[in-house]
Amino acid sequence: VNPTDRDHFYVGTASGGVWMSRNGGISFEPIFDDQKYLGIGAVAVSDANPNIIWVGTGEGNPRNSANYGGGIYKSLDGGKTWNKLTNGLPDEKLGRIGIEVAPSNSNILYASVETGTLETKGMYRSEDGGANWKMIGRNQNTGIRPFYFSELEIDPNNPDIVAKCGLNGIISENQGATWRTLDGRVHSDFHDIW
């Protein structure tokens, strides 16, 4: 959602690409149709510049159709053109990718990446708008069923604090170096977080 114009927003669909509305959802325009992968796991938009969009591919509704993905894409012009981001990300069979941009610093992104191997499946972080990525967590909670648990949330004031859904919700307060489970008294199976 454009922070200065709430009628302008982007929607990623399970198997139909990315769409943009400029009139509060009365009508939509496809902006990702020229790309190879139309299953979308997540869409992130820069608060500083709503023309900067990141898309994590991979079906977000895996039980109804294919869930393969093709990586993370970035647009600097509101979806007119797209570039695939690759440096530091796995180059192999991919599934759903969840992605979130820090509200306080749009150069910082986190991605939950589903791959075909335990060595590369997990959480990644970028500090330069997605040009370069580094794996920040590989444990059961950071890599558990990304096709199902890929929702992320970054603290609005501190980009070092990120939370992720999962069988147990998890949170890191140090850029993903370490993770802890959210309150154990809360029922497990976190599918969304805000």
Side-chain angles (χ1 to χ4, degrees):
V1 175
N2 181 333
T4 60
D5 179 3
R6 306 301 275 174
D7 287 336
H8 178 209
F9 59 87
Y10 305 95
V11 176
T13 64
S15 55
V18 179
W19 297 74
M20 176 183 64
S21 177
R22 291 190 178 275
N23 55 18
I26 294 170
S27 62
F28 288 88
E29 169 188 351
I31 60 171
F32 204 72
D33 281 3
D34 292 336
Q35 305 308 311
K36 181 177 179 180
Y37 299 93
L38 295 180
I40 306 302
V43 176
V45 180
S46 168
D47 279 353
N49 180 350
N51 285 317
I52 302 176
I53 312 162
W54 295 267
V55 170
T57 59
E59 162 81 53
N61 196 9
R63 292 197 167 100
N64 296 329
S65 59
N67 68 343
Y68 55 87
I72 298 174
Y73 291 78
K74 181 179 182 179
S75 175
L76 298 172
D77 55 14
K80 292 181 181 89
T81 60
W82 295 92
N83 292 306
K84 184 176 180 182
L85 307 176
T86 59
N87 196 18
L89 292 169
D91 183 21
E92 61 184 280
K93 180 180 177 182
L94 297 171
R96 184 176 184 188
I97 298 174
I99 189 164
E100 187 69 30
V101 59
S104 61
N105 181 347
S106 59
N107 282 320
I108 297 177
L109 295 113
Y110 291 87
S112 172
V113 179
E114 179 181 19
T115 70
T117 60
L118 293 175
E119 295 77 28
T120 57
K121 176 173 48 174
M123 291 288 293
Y124 289 78
R125 177 181 160 105
S126 174
E127 297 180 353
D128 56 11
N132 297 284
W133 294 85
K134 177 183 172 189
M135 181 177 247
I136 57 167
R138 183 177 37 220
N139 63 48
Q140 181 178 3
N141 281 321
T142 60
I144 186 99
R145 302 180 78 190
F147 70 91
Y148 206 57
F149 301 119
S150 65
E151 294 297 319
L152 308 168
E153 191 66 36
I154 302 170
D155 184 285
N157 301 309
N158 184 348
D160 295 345
I161 301 174
V162 60
K164 180 188 178 298
C165 292
L167 291 176
N168 298 301
I170 57 172
I171 189 167
S172 173
E173 297 167 307
N174 55 10
Q175 303 178 5
T178 59
W179 296 84
R180 66 176 171 81
T181 4
L182 297 173
D183 190 336
R185 296 172 292 178
V186 177
H187 184 273
S188 64
D189 217 11
F190 287 74
H191 292 273
D192 205 355
I193 192 165
W194 60 95

